[in-house]
Amino acid sequence: MSRIFSGVQPTGDLHLGNYLGAIRNWVRLQDDYECLFCVVDMHAITNWQDPAELRANTREVAAAMMASGIDPKRNIIFNQSRVPAHAELAWILNCVARLGWLNRMTQFKEKAGKNRENASVGLFAYPVLMAADILLYKATHVPVGEDQKQHLELTRDIAQKFNNDFKKELFPVVEPLIFGAGTRVMSLRDGTNKMSKSDPSQQSRITMTDDADAIARKVRKAKTDPDVLPGSPTGFAGRPEAANLMGIYAALSDTDISQVCQDFGGQQFSAFKQSLADLAVAKLAPIQDEMRRLMDDPAYVEGVLADGAKKAQAMAAPILAEVRETVGFL
Ligand code: AQP
Protein backbone atom coordinates (compact mmCIF):
# COMPACT_ATOMS: atom_id res chain seq x y z
CA MET A 1 0.00 0.00 0.00
CA SER A 2 1.27 3.50 -0.81
CA ARG A 3 2.20 5.62 2.18
CA ILE A 4 1.33 9.27 2.79
CA PHE A 5 2.94 11.79 5.10
CA SER A 6 1.18 15.10 5.74
CA GLY A 7 1.63 17.87 8.25
CA VAL A 8 0.05 21.00 9.67
CA GLN A 9 1.89 23.56 11.75
CA PRO A 10 0.35 24.40 15.13
CA THR A 11 1.04 28.10 14.58
CA GLY A 12 -2.39 29.53 15.34
CA ASP A 13 -6.07 29.07 14.70
CA LEU A 14 -6.73 26.68 11.83
CA HIS A 15 -8.74 28.28 9.06
CA LEU A 16 -10.94 27.39 6.13
CA GLY A 17 -7.87 27.23 3.87
CA ASN A 18 -6.27 24.57 6.07
CA TYR A 19 -9.56 22.66 6.10
CA LEU A 20 -10.51 22.86 2.41
CA GLY A 21 -6.95 22.76 1.07
CA ALA A 22 -5.61 20.06 3.34
CA ILE A 23 -7.49 18.34 6.17
CA ARG A 24 -10.70 17.61 4.24
CA ASN A 25 -8.70 15.96 1.47
CA TRP A 26 -6.77 13.86 3.98
CA VAL A 27 -10.05 12.43 5.26
CA ARG A 28 -10.65 11.12 1.74
CA LEU A 29 -7.19 9.60 1.48
CA GLN A 30 -7.41 7.36 4.52
CA ASP A 31 -9.34 4.69 2.61
CA ASP A 32 -6.69 4.25 -0.08
CA TYR A 33 -3.38 4.94 1.65
CA GLU A 34 -1.47 4.16 4.79
CA CYS A 35 -1.41 7.65 6.34
CA LEU A 36 0.72 9.53 8.83
CA PHE A 37 -0.83 12.86 9.86
CA CYS A 38 1.61 14.96 11.80
CA VAL A 39 1.28 18.12 13.86
CA VAL A 40 4.62 19.62 12.91
CA ASP A 41 5.52 21.49 16.08
CA MET A 42 9.24 21.50 15.21
CA HIS A 43 8.42 23.41 12.04
CA ALA A 44 6.26 25.80 14.05
CA ILE A 45 9.18 26.98 16.21
CA THR A 46 11.14 28.23 13.18
CA ASN A 47 9.26 31.38 14.18
CA TRP A 48 9.01 32.04 17.92
CA GLN A 49 5.89 30.54 19.53
CA ASP A 50 4.52 31.14 22.97
CA PRO A 51 5.09 27.75 24.68
CA ALA A 52 1.62 27.52 26.27
CA GLU A 53 -0.02 28.49 22.98
CA LEU A 54 2.10 25.98 21.07
CA ARG A 55 0.87 23.19 23.33
CA ALA A 56 -2.76 24.34 23.03
CA ASN A 57 -2.47 24.72 19.25
CA THR A 58 -0.91 21.25 18.96
CA ARG A 59 -3.94 19.77 20.71
CA GLU A 60 -6.27 21.89 18.60
CA VAL A 61 -4.79 20.69 15.31
CA ALA A 62 -5.06 17.06 16.44
CA ALA A 63 -8.67 17.69 17.54
CA ALA A 64 -9.47 19.34 14.19
CA MET A 65 -8.09 16.37 12.28
CA MET A 66 -10.17 13.91 14.28
CA ALA A 67 -13.30 16.10 14.27
CA SER A 68 -13.02 16.38 10.48
CA GLY A 69 -13.11 12.60 10.18
CA ILE A 70 -9.55 11.33 10.39
CA ASP A 71 -9.76 8.09 12.31
CA PRO A 72 -6.93 7.71 14.87
CA LYS A 73 -7.37 3.93 14.84
CA ARG A 74 -6.77 3.57 11.11
CA ASN A 75 -4.13 6.33 10.77
CA ILE A 76 -1.14 7.56 12.68
CA ILE A 77 -1.79 10.97 14.24
CA PHE A 78 1.15 12.37 16.20
CA ASN A 79 3.21 15.44 16.92
CA GLN A 80 6.61 15.65 15.30
CA SER A 81 8.72 16.54 18.35
CA ARG A 82 7.70 13.28 20.06
CA VAL A 83 9.69 11.33 17.43
CA PRO A 84 13.31 12.51 17.71
CA ALA A 85 14.22 10.58 14.55
CA HIS A 86 12.87 13.57 12.55
CA ALA A 87 15.62 15.77 13.97
CA GLU A 88 18.27 13.11 13.52
CA LEU A 89 17.47 12.46 9.87
CA ALA A 90 17.14 16.20 9.24
CA TRP A 91 20.74 16.68 10.39
CA ILE A 92 22.01 13.97 8.06
CA LEU A 93 20.02 15.47 5.19
CA ASN A 94 21.35 18.95 6.05
CA CYS A 95 24.71 17.51 5.10
CA VAL A 96 23.33 16.28 1.76
CA ALA A 97 21.30 19.33 0.72
CA ARG A 98 23.23 22.14 -0.98
CA LEU A 99 23.16 25.75 0.16
CA GLY A 100 22.38 26.85 -3.40
CA TRP A 101 19.24 24.70 -3.45
CA LEU A 102 17.93 26.26 -0.25
CA ASN A 103 18.79 29.75 -1.47
CA ARG A 104 16.24 29.25 -4.24
CA MET A 105 13.32 28.50 -1.91
CA THR A 106 10.71 31.21 -2.44
CA GLN A 107 8.83 30.50 0.80
CA PHE A 108 11.92 31.37 2.85
CA LYS A 109 12.20 34.67 0.99
CA GLU A 110 8.52 35.42 1.64
CA LYS A 111 8.59 34.40 5.29
CA ALA A 112 11.93 36.00 6.13
CA GLY A 113 10.82 39.23 4.45
CA LYS A 114 13.20 42.15 4.31
CA ASN A 115 14.94 41.24 7.54
CA ARG A 116 16.56 38.10 6.16
CA GLU A 117 19.65 38.35 8.35
CA ASN A 118 17.46 38.13 11.41
CA ALA A 119 15.55 35.00 10.32
CA SER A 120 16.28 31.82 12.27
CA VAL A 121 18.61 29.19 10.80
CA GLY A 122 15.68 26.82 11.35
CA LEU A 123 13.48 28.83 8.99
CA PHE A 124 16.16 28.56 6.31
CA ALA A 125 16.58 24.81 6.88
CA TYR A 126 12.80 24.22 7.15
CA PRO A 127 12.57 22.42 3.76
CA VAL A 128 15.26 19.94 4.83
CA LEU A 129 13.27 19.06 7.96
CA MET A 130 10.25 18.61 5.69
CA ALA A 131 12.31 16.24 3.51
CA ALA A 132 13.26 14.31 6.65
CA ASP A 133 9.59 14.10 7.72
CA ILE A 134 8.72 12.44 4.44
CA LEU A 135 11.79 10.28 3.88
CA LEU A 136 11.89 9.00 7.46
CA TYR A 137 8.88 6.84 6.61
CA LYS A 138 9.77 6.29 2.94
CA ALA A 139 6.46 7.96 2.13
CA THR A 140 5.54 7.51 -1.51
CA HIS A 141 3.00 10.33 -1.79
CA VAL A 142 2.60 13.75 -0.22
CA PRO A 143 -0.56 15.84 -0.59
CA VAL A 144 0.65 19.36 -1.29
CA GLY A 145 -0.78 22.75 -2.07
CA GLU A 146 0.75 24.89 -4.84
CA ASP A 147 2.90 26.68 -2.24
CA GLN A 148 4.61 23.46 -1.13
CA LYS A 149 5.45 22.11 -4.60
CA GLN A 150 8.93 23.61 -4.57
CA HIS A 151 9.69 22.00 -1.20
CA LEU A 152 8.60 18.62 -2.51
CA GLU A 153 10.90 19.02 -5.52
CA LEU A 154 13.70 19.68 -3.04
CA THR A 155 12.79 16.51 -1.14
CA ARG A 156 13.17 14.57 -4.38
CA ASP A 157 16.55 16.23 -5.09
CA ILE A 158 17.81 15.44 -1.60
CA ALA A 159 16.64 11.81 -1.81
CA GLN A 160 18.27 11.38 -5.22
CA LYS A 161 21.55 12.93 -4.11
CA PHE A 162 21.61 10.73 -1.02
CA ASN A 163 20.98 7.64 -3.17
CA ASN A 164 23.70 8.74 -5.66
CA ASP A 165 26.24 9.69 -2.99
CA PHE A 166 25.91 6.33 -1.27
CA LYS A 167 25.21 4.29 -4.41
CA LYS A 168 22.09 2.76 -2.93
CA GLU A 169 18.40 3.13 -3.80
CA LEU A 170 17.47 3.80 -0.20
CA PHE A 171 14.86 6.52 -0.60
CA PRO A 172 11.89 6.23 -3.00
CA VAL A 173 10.90 8.99 -5.39
CA VAL A 174 8.09 10.88 -3.71
CA GLU A 175 5.05 11.84 -5.79
CA PRO A 176 2.89 14.89 -5.09
CA LEU A 177 -0.87 14.54 -4.75
CA ILE A 178 -2.49 17.75 -5.94
CA PHE A 179 -6.16 18.37 -5.28
CA GLY A 180 -8.67 20.32 -7.35
CA ALA A 181 -11.34 22.61 -5.94
CA GLY A 182 -10.44 24.48 -2.79
CA THR A 183 -6.70 23.91 -3.06
CA ARG A 184 -6.02 27.59 -2.54
CA VAL A 185 -8.33 29.66 -0.40
CA MET A 186 -7.53 33.35 -0.46
CA SER A 187 -7.82 36.06 2.19
CA LEU A 188 -11.27 37.58 2.70
CA ARG A 189 -9.61 41.01 2.77
CA ASP A 190 -7.52 40.61 -0.38
CA GLY A 191 -8.25 37.99 -3.01
CA THR A 192 -4.64 37.99 -4.19
CA ASN A 193 -3.16 36.82 -0.85
CA LYS A 194 -3.68 33.35 0.54
CA MET A 195 -5.73 32.86 3.68
CA SER A 196 -3.14 32.40 6.39
CA LYS A 197 -2.88 31.83 10.16
CA SER A 198 -0.23 34.53 10.44
CA ASP A 199 -2.19 37.28 8.67
CA PRO A 200 -2.49 40.03 11.32
CA SER A 201 -6.14 40.63 10.35
CA GLN A 202 -8.66 38.30 12.00
CA GLN A 203 -11.13 39.42 9.33
CA SER A 204 -8.99 37.81 6.63
CA ARG A 205 -9.85 34.26 7.67
CA ILE A 206 -12.68 32.06 8.88
CA THR A 207 -11.27 29.90 11.62
CA MET A 208 -12.31 26.40 12.61
CA THR A 209 -13.44 27.82 15.95
CA ASP A 210 -15.45 30.82 14.69
CA ASP A 211 -19.09 30.69 15.77
CA ALA A 212 -22.01 31.30 13.40
CA ASP A 213 -22.10 35.04 14.15
CA ALA A 214 -18.38 35.48 13.51
CA ILE A 215 -18.60 33.53 10.25
CA ALA A 216 -21.59 35.58 9.05
CA ARG A 217 -19.87 38.85 10.02
CA LYS A 218 -16.59 37.97 8.29
CA VAL A 219 -18.35 36.85 5.11
CA ARG A 220 -20.52 40.00 5.11
CA LYS A 221 -17.43 42.18 5.46
CA ALA A 222 -15.38 40.25 2.88
CA LYS A 223 -13.93 42.45 0.16
CA THR A 224 -15.86 42.47 -3.12
CA ASP A 225 -16.14 44.62 -6.24
CA PRO A 226 -19.06 46.70 -7.56
CA ASP A 227 -20.19 44.30 -10.33
CA VAL A 228 -22.75 41.52 -10.12
CA LEU A 229 -21.47 37.94 -9.91
CA PRO A 230 -20.23 36.43 -13.17
CA GLY A 231 -22.28 33.75 -14.94
CA SER A 232 -19.20 31.72 -15.86
CA PRO A 233 -15.60 31.33 -14.64
CA THR A 234 -14.33 33.38 -17.62
CA GLY A 235 -15.82 36.37 -15.79
CA PHE A 236 -13.28 36.02 -12.96
CA ALA A 237 -10.57 37.86 -14.91
CA GLY A 238 -9.42 40.78 -12.76
CA ARG A 239 -11.94 39.80 -10.04
CA PRO A 240 -9.96 37.78 -7.48
CA GLU A 241 -12.47 38.31 -4.68
CA ALA A 242 -15.40 37.01 -6.75
CA ALA A 243 -13.28 34.02 -7.78
CA ASN A 244 -12.32 33.35 -4.17
CA LEU A 245 -15.81 33.59 -2.63
CA MET A 246 -17.40 31.52 -5.38
CA GLY A 247 -14.51 29.05 -5.16
CA ILE A 248 -15.10 28.65 -1.43
CA TYR A 249 -18.80 28.05 -2.10
CA ALA A 250 -17.96 25.43 -4.72
CA ALA A 251 -15.51 23.66 -2.39
CA LEU A 252 -17.89 23.70 0.58
CA SER A 253 -20.80 22.42 -1.47
CA ASP A 254 -18.67 19.93 -3.41
CA THR A 255 -19.84 21.36 -6.71
CA ASP A 256 -18.11 22.62 -9.77
CA ILE A 257 -17.28 26.33 -9.90
CA SER A 258 -19.16 26.58 -13.23
CA GLN A 259 -22.29 25.36 -11.49
CA VAL A 260 -21.91 28.01 -8.77
CA CYS A 261 -21.55 30.65 -11.50
CA GLN A 262 -24.69 29.35 -13.19
CA ASP A 263 -26.65 29.37 -9.92
CA PHE A 264 -25.56 32.82 -8.70
CA GLY A 265 -24.49 34.66 -11.89
CA GLY A 266 -26.14 38.08 -12.21
CA GLN A 267 -26.88 38.32 -8.46
CA GLN A 268 -25.53 40.98 -6.11
CA PHE A 269 -22.75 39.99 -3.73
CA SER A 270 -24.96 40.71 -0.71
CA ALA A 271 -27.46 37.93 -1.50
CA PHE A 272 -24.69 35.48 -2.38
CA LYS A 273 -22.81 36.26 0.82
CA GLN A 274 -25.85 35.28 2.87
CA SER A 275 -25.96 31.88 1.10
CA LEU A 276 -22.20 31.46 1.52
CA ALA A 277 -22.32 32.24 5.24
CA ASP A 278 -25.23 29.82 5.75
CA LEU A 279 -23.36 27.10 3.89
CA ALA A 280 -20.11 27.66 5.81
CA VAL A 281 -21.95 27.55 9.14
CA ALA A 282 -23.83 24.38 8.15
CA LYS A 283 -20.65 22.60 7.02
CA LEU A 284 -18.43 23.70 9.88
CA ALA A 285 -20.92 23.37 12.78
CA PRO A 286 -20.73 19.56 13.23
CA ILE A 287 -16.93 19.64 13.02
CA GLN A 288 -16.79 22.48 15.53
CA ASP A 289 -19.08 20.64 17.94
CA GLU A 290 -16.82 17.61 17.82
CA MET A 291 -13.70 19.78 18.14
CA ARG A 292 -15.10 21.39 21.28
CA ARG A 293 -15.89 17.99 22.73
CA LEU A 294 -12.34 16.81 22.06
CA MET A 295 -10.74 20.02 23.32
CA ASP A 296 -12.61 19.50 26.59
CA ASP A 297 -10.78 16.20 26.94
CA PRO A 298 -7.08 17.09 26.54
CA ALA A 299 -5.99 13.79 28.13
CA TYR A 300 -7.70 11.86 25.33
CA VAL A 301 -6.14 14.04 22.60
CA GLU A 302 -2.69 13.73 24.17
CA GLY A 303 -3.21 9.97 24.45
CA VAL A 304 -3.90 9.77 20.72
CA LEU A 305 -0.75 11.80 19.97
CA ALA A 306 1.41 9.69 22.28
CA ASP A 307 0.05 6.47 20.86
CA GLY A 308 0.56 7.74 17.29
CA ALA A 309 4.14 8.74 18.14
CA LYS A 310 4.89 5.21 19.34
CA LYS A 311 3.66 3.76 16.06
CA ALA A 312 5.54 6.38 14.03
CA GLN A 313 8.72 5.72 15.99
CA ALA A 314 8.41 1.99 15.31
CA MET A 315 7.92 2.62 11.58
CA ALA A 316 10.85 5.05 11.44
CA ALA A 317 13.34 2.97 13.46
CA PRO A 318 14.40 0.43 10.77
CA ILE A 319 14.59 3.17 8.11
CA LEU A 320 16.74 5.40 10.31
CA ALA A 321 18.93 2.39 11.19
CA GLU A 322 19.43 1.75 7.47
CA VAL A 323 20.37 5.40 6.93
CA ARG A 324 22.81 5.37 9.86
CA GLU A 325 24.43 2.20 8.58
CA THR A 326 24.64 3.60 5.03
CA VAL A 327 26.25 6.84 6.21
CA GLY A 328 28.80 4.95 8.29
CA PHE A 329 27.73 5.71 11.85
CA LEU A 330 28.86 3.06 14.34
N1 AQP B 1 -5.05 29.39 2.13
C1 AQP B 1 -4.89 28.10 1.94
N2 AQP B 1 -5.57 27.47 0.97
C2 AQP B 1 -5.42 26.14 0.81
N3 AQP B 1 -4.60 25.37 1.55
C3 AQP B 1 -3.90 25.96 2.53
N4 AQP B 1 -3.03 25.50 3.43
C4 AQP B 1 -2.60 26.52 4.20
N5 AQP B 1 -3.19 27.66 3.82
C5 AQP B 1 -4.00 27.35 2.78
C6 AQP B 1 -2.63 24.10 3.54
O1 AQP B 1 -2.78 23.71 4.88
C7 AQP B 1 -1.78 22.72 5.19
C8 AQP B 1 -1.13 23.09 6.47
O2 AQP B 1 -0.47 24.30 6.33
P1 AQP B 1 0.61 24.72 7.40
O3 AQP B 1 -0.05 24.88 8.71
O4 AQP B 1 1.72 23.76 7.40
O5 AQP B 1 1.24 26.05 6.99
P2 AQP B 1 1.01 27.09 5.89
O6 AQP B 1 0.82 26.47 4.55
O7 AQP B 1 2.13 28.06 5.99
O8 AQP B 1 -0.38 27.70 6.38
P3 AQP B 1 -0.73 29.07 6.98
O9 AQP B 1 -2.11 28.96 7.48
O10 AQP B 1 -0.48 30.17 6.01
O11 AQP B 1 0.18 29.22 8.24
P4 AQP B 1 1.27 30.29 8.58
O12 AQP B 1 0.59 31.60 8.55
O13 AQP B 1 1.75 29.89 9.95
O14 AQP B 1 2.36 30.19 7.54
C9 AQP B 1 -0.83 22.67 4.02
O15 AQP B 1 -1.11 21.52 3.25
C10 AQP B 1 -1.15 23.92 3.25
O16 AQP B 1 -0.89 23.77 1.85
Side-chain angles (χ1 to χ4, degrees):
M1 202 184 201
S2 303
R3 186 175 286 172
I4 280 189
F5 181 94
S6 252
V8 186
Q9 298 187 74
T11 38
D13 288 333
L14 287 177
H15 51 73
L16 204 55
N18 297 130
Y19 176 64
L20 293 176
I23 297 174
R24 187 178 71 156
N25 298 323
W26 301 352
V27 176
R28 296 168 179 175
L29 293 174
Q30 60 187 340
D31 295 330
D32 300 322
Y33 296 89
E34 181 181 29
C35 297
L36 294 115
F37 296 117
C38 186
V39 188
V40 287
D41 47 4
M42 286 161 63
H43 281 282
I45 61 162
T46 54
N47 280 314
W48 189 84
Q49 304 294 321
D50 176 87
E53 277 178 26
L54 182 64
R55 268 188 284 277
N57 287 334
T58 300
R59 282 187 219 105
E60 188 188 297
V61 173
M65 287 179 185
M66 289 188 273
S68 302
I70 294 176
D71 178 356
K73 296 204 178 75
R74 283 197 288 150
N75 305 279
I76 299 180
I77 301 177
F78 71 111
N79 59 310
Q80 187 185 25
S81 61
R82 271 208 169 95
V83 181
H86 286 256
E88 191 173 343
L89 183 59
W91 179 256
I92 295 171
L93 299 183
N94 269 330
C95 302
V96 175
R98 303 292 91 179
L99 216 51
W101 299 355
L102 288 177
N103 274 331
R104 286 196 283 277
M105 295 297 114
T106 52
Q107 196 180 75
F108 173 73
K109 289 177 195 154
E110 282 162 24
K111 292 209 168 180
K114 290 199 183 80
N115 203 357
R116 198 186 143 121
E117 294 294 303
N118 202 33
S120 71
V121 175
L123 189 66
F124 186 70
Y126 179 114
V128 183
L129 179 58
M130 180 170 152
D133 298 338
I134 297 164
L135 298 175
L136 184 59
Y137 304 98
K138 294 193 180 177
T140 52
H141 294 80
V142 178
V144 281
E146 274 298 312
D147 50 337
Q148 290 295 330
K149 263 165 81 178
Q150 196 186 28
H151 287 168
L152 197 66
E153 283 297 319
L154 185 88
T155 299
R156 290 159 68 110
D157 290 343
I158 292 173
Q160 239 159 32
K161 181 160 165 42
F162 183 97
N163 289 350
N164 286 343
D165 285 354
F166 295 100
K167 299 188 179 35
K168 193 173 184 181
E169 288 305 302
L170 199 152
F171 292 124
V173 178
V174 189
E175 298 293 341
L177 282 176
I178 311 234
F179 293 96
T183 29
R184 201 159 165 84
V185 178
M186 309 308 279
S187 158
L188 299 181
R189 307 301 297 160
D190 176 356
T192 60
N193 281 335
K194 84 164 188 152
M195 189 177 280
S196 173
K197 297 185 215 95
S198 50
D199 190 318
S201 167
Q202 286 286 339
Q203 302 306 319
S204 69
R205 58 185 168 264
I206 292 171
T207 74
M208 301 276 290
T209 49
D210 277 342
D211 61 19
D213 285 349
I215 294 174
R217 197 176 52 250
K218 288 179 181 179
V219 172
R220 217 170 28 244
K221 288 197 172 160
K223 187 178 168 195
T224 52
D225 59 49
D227 288 341
V228 292
L229 293 167
S232 95
T234 50
F236 288 142
R239 304 187 65 190
E241 283 80 21
N244 187 36
L245 295 180
M246 293 179 97
I248 293 175
Y249 192 99
L252 281 172
S253 58
D254 259 322
T255 37
D256 196 68
I257 187 90
S258 308
Q259 186 61 49
V260 180
C261 290
Q262 267 177 37
D263 293 346
F264 292 96
Q267 288 192 19
Q268 302 289 339
F269 271 101
S270 50
F272 171 70
K273 280 177 164 180
Q274 186 59 52
S275 303
L276 177 58
D278 291 346
L279 177 65
V281 169
K283 291 285 171 176
L284 289 181
I287 300 171
Q288 294 176 321
D289 287 348
E290 181 61 5
M291 258 178 93
R292 265 191 297 276
R293 194 186 68 75
L294 290 166
M295 294 296 286
D296 284 343
D297 191 354
Y300 171 74
V301 175
E302 283 179 32
V304 168
L305 290 171
D307 186 48
K310 257 192 229 148
K311 291 184 198 151
Q313 182 78 47
M315 197 181 272
I319 298 170
L320 187 64
E322 198 185 352
V323 172
R324 291 176 54 97
E325 210 272 324
T326 302
V327 170
F329 290 165
L330 266 182

